[in-house]
Amino acid sequence: MAIKADKIWMDGEMIPFADAQVHVLTHTLHYGLGAFEGIRCYQRADGQSAIFRLQDHIRRLYETCHICTIDIPFPQEEIVQACIDVVNANGFEDCYLRPVVFLGDGEMGLAAMSNKVRVAVIAWPWGAYLGDEGLNKGIRAKIASLQRHHVNSSMVKGKINGQYVNSILAKREVMAMGYHEAIMLDTEGYVSEASGENIFLVHKGRMYTTPLGMSILEGITRDTIVTLARERNIEIIEQRFTRDVLYVADEIFMTGTAAEVTPVRELDNRKIGTGEPGPVTKALQAAYFDHVKGSAETHPEWLTYIH
């Protein structure tokens, strides 16, 4: 899908889409040091559009840059406002937003301490990341041969541009085999996360997910689902587990801003549960969509209205 919009916010200015260009010697293009976020804006049942958990996403963007020793030359409030302004400038009601922080051209050594820090916010319409059928019926997943980063070889809590090569290779590997998504193990063989999503499983009425202390991103959708599950008295256990625990799960689902809440119907050619989205998955998926684009009002702090 070709991305198209009218305006992009870049380095403090709203500029035409076609003018948002960078030099081929842009440092991040060559070495990958930078940070980004994925955020969604939804039109809700009342017709108003709201960006979901905007402040949390921008806070994580700044945390990632702090991990990477990058000083963003704008206060958080300005980037929050830039996200709102980009949606309005393009007249979008539903869209995906991509704030990105990167090092511009200048030095070409690894450190590039003097290169200008650039910031852009892009928005475009984007449907279900793993497809509408995936949301409704579940996807086929496969354990990737590549391992997720070790916690001492990479900064696993940061949403860092270059780190996603690990996920890209895993995703490309399993898609070439006919699967929709890759699940990655950590360097000790325990389930980490998917290429761009956190993982939950349901077994004997309990929900399990990999704990935050392990090699996973602290997902904002993950946090949303944990909150919604606890409010519905669903027991959640955060602990490490192996791939065979996934095989015998009653339900598996993935969470992420792009993927939203996507069930897994099959893993490594093994049917999961009944082979269809289970009752816990469907209940939490419905609760999630009610909060992002329905009429739920229990968490107004999650919504930033754009008008």
Side-chain angles (χ1 to χ4, degrees), residues 99-234:
V100 59
V101 180
F102 58 99
L103 300 185
D105 56 299
E107 292 184 51
M108 280 305 291
L110 290 179
M113 302 297 283
S114 66
N115 288 34
K116 181 180 178 181
V117 176
R118 310 284 306 275
V119 187
V121 180
I122 311 100
W124 67 89
W126 202 11
Y129 176 62
L130 293 170
D132 290 328
E133 183 176 350
L135 279 178
N136 295 323
K137 296 183 178 180
I139 63 168
R140 299 178 66 238
K142 180 169 177 50
I143 303 292
S145 67
L146 284 87
Q147 297 172 319
R148 167 83 170 151
H149 301 287
H150 188 277
V151 295
N152 285 328
S153 65
S154 192
M155 302 291 100
V156 297
K157 290 296 173 264
K159 200 169 175 68
I160 301 169
N161 297 47
Q163 284 187 176
Y164 274 75
V165 171
N166 181 236
S167 291
I168 291 166
L169 293 176
K171 176 93 170 181
R172 290 169 67 93
E173 174 186 65
V174 305
M175 286 191 72
M177 300 177 188
Y179 298 89
H180 300 103
E181 187 55 284
I183 291 178
M184 304 180 74
L185 308 180
D186 65 22
T187 54
E188 295 183 66
Y190 291 92
V191 175
S192 176
E193 60 182 26
S195 70
E197 303 89 12
N198 294 116
I199 298 172
F200 291 85
L201 70 90
V202 180
H203 188 58
K204 296 180 180 178
R206 295 176 174 176
M207 269 177 56
Y208 296 83
T209 193
T210 303
L212 292 178
M214 307 314 298
S215 180
I216 67 169
L217 186 70
E218 188 172 351
I220 290 169
T221 310
R222 176 191 186 276
D223 178 73
T224 302
I225 291 299
V226 167
T227 300
L228 295 175
R230 287 175 174 157
E231 290 173 354
R232 285 154 181 77
N233 298 315
I234 299 171

Side-chain angles (χ1 to χ4, degrees), residues 56-70:
D56 295 314
H57 278 286
I58 300 305
R59 185 181 306 114
R60 188 173 64 182
L61 180 72
Y62 277 74
E63 289 174 351
T64 298
C65 286
H66 182 68
I67 289 169
C68 293
T69 68
I70 295 173

